[in-house]
Amino acid sequence: MRRVNFVLLGLIILVNLYTIALPFLPNIGYWWHNRGGDKPVSVAAYIKKTTNSSNPNEDTSGNRIIIPRMSLNTPLLEGPKSDSFNLLKAGAWHLPFSTDPTQGGNMVVAAHRFSYTGPRGLFYFLDKLQVGDEIGVQWGGKLYHYQVASTRVVSPTEISVQGPTDDTRLTLYTCTPLFNPVNRLVVVAKPVDEGATP
Amino acid sequence: MNEKTKFWVLLGLLVLSIALLVYLSTQSSNVLLG
């Protein structure tokens, strides 16, 4: 019985360590990836790098968002607002009432900051983005380049950030802070060019 | 505390720990504005 109790105690410690440590683990990977200083990468270089090193069977066609600073190259999911729960659980959701890169106006993409189930929060590192960082949107076979123009924290009721705009912009948002996410972190990026073949 | 009592206490704590992890895994905060 003593041995069984010892095993149970070990299991309790393991389960709780996993629960506590999991939200911090992405930071360790980020630190390791960016060790040795700041290494901003261009969108084109990041696409080349991830295409070479990723699974050759992975489908990298279709509409995608590429953010080198966040080591992110992921599909943009499309779907109605009524299905937002499942779409956000699955990845980065292009809000259907916003525009796309070919239309001008405000293109809005939202994703979770962190979740215990995969994918573990695609916008976990959204707070790492800095003004001037490059963002790419692969849309309809063309690559559209954006540069981060501003980042700010707003309350969840501030719906104006996802409303239509006169200028062309890309708006990304997620929950913040990481724990007890009572606000939203909003990143606005402005286009750099009209779109090129990736 | 005898070993049998310890066993039930530890088993209860393990079940609670797993239940917490399952609960957190099923929770998804509402990202959307509005």
Side-chain angles (χ1 to χ4, degrees):
Chain A
M1 186 59 94
R2 183 179 280 257
R3 187 175 292 175
V4 173
N5 286 348
F6 187 74
V7 171
L8 279 177
L9 184 63
L11 284 173
I12 290 167
I13 292 170
L14 277 179
V15 170
N16 284 291
L17 275 179
Y18 178 78
T19 306
I20 294 165
L22 200 61
F24 300 101
L25 291 182
N27 275 319
I28 297 170
Y30 188 85
W31 167 78
W32 179 256
H33 185 75
N34 293 289
R35 68 194 184 283
D38 203 24
K39 295 178 190 169
V41 184
S42 73
V43 169
Y46 187 72
I47 289 174
K48 197 176 174 187
K49 184 181 159 191
T50 49
T51 305
N52 289 341
S53 60
S54 64
N55 182 356
N57 296 320
E58 187 191 359
D59 180 16
T60 53
S61 61
N63 301 332
R64 304 180 72 85
I65 184 162
I66 300 111
I67 310 177
R69 172 80 71 184
M70 294 163 60
S71 302
L72 184 73
N73 182 349
T74 189
L76 286 169
L77 305 180
E78 305 286 338
K81 195 175 179 183
S82 57
D83 201 24
S84 62
F85 181 83
N86 291 324
L87 288 161
L88 285 166
K89 214 173 170 184
W93 179 42
H94 171 219
L95 272 63
F97 48 83
S98 70
T99 62
D100 67 50
T102 64
Q103 297 170 324
N106 193 10
M107 177 180 180
V108 186
V109 177
H112 280 304
R113 185 77 184 275
F114 175 78
S115 67
Y116 275 85
T117 52
R120 293 201 172 118
L122 290 172
F123 281 179
Y124 186 96
F125 296 118
L126 197 66
D127 63 332
K128 306 283 189 202
L129 281 181
Q130 298 165 12
V131 172
D133 280 352
E134 281 192 38
I135 298 175
V137 173
Q138 192 174 295
W139 189 272
K142 285 187 174 178
L143 183 64
Y144 295 83
H145 287 85
Y146 297 83
Q147 259 188 342
V148 174
S150 68
T151 67
R152 64 191 171 119
V153 174
V154 302
S155 78
T157 55
E158 196 164 327
I159 56 172
S160 62
V161 299
Q162 60 187 12
T165 56
D166 294 331
D167 61 333
T168 301
R169 63 172 64 183
L170 171 67
T171 301
L172 313 175
Y173 74 82
T174 190
C175 298
T176 197
L178 190 57
F179 297 100
N180 188 24
V182 291
N183 290 318
R184 302 293 176 266
L185 175 62
V186 180
V187 172
V188 174
K190 297 293 179 68
V192 178
D193 61 23
E194 287 296 314
T197 306
Chain B
M1 198 185 289
N2 64 41
E3 290 298 322
K4 197 172 179 182
T5 309
K6 271 186 193 170
F7 169 78
W8 287 112
V9 170
L10 289 169
L11 190 64
L13 285 174
L14 180 61
V15 169
L16 281 175
S17 301
I18 293 171
L20 176 66
L21 183 58
V22 171
Y23 171 77
L24 290 172
S25 300
T26 55
Q27 289 303 297
S28 221
S29 57
N30 181 19
V31 175
L32 295 181
L33 292 163

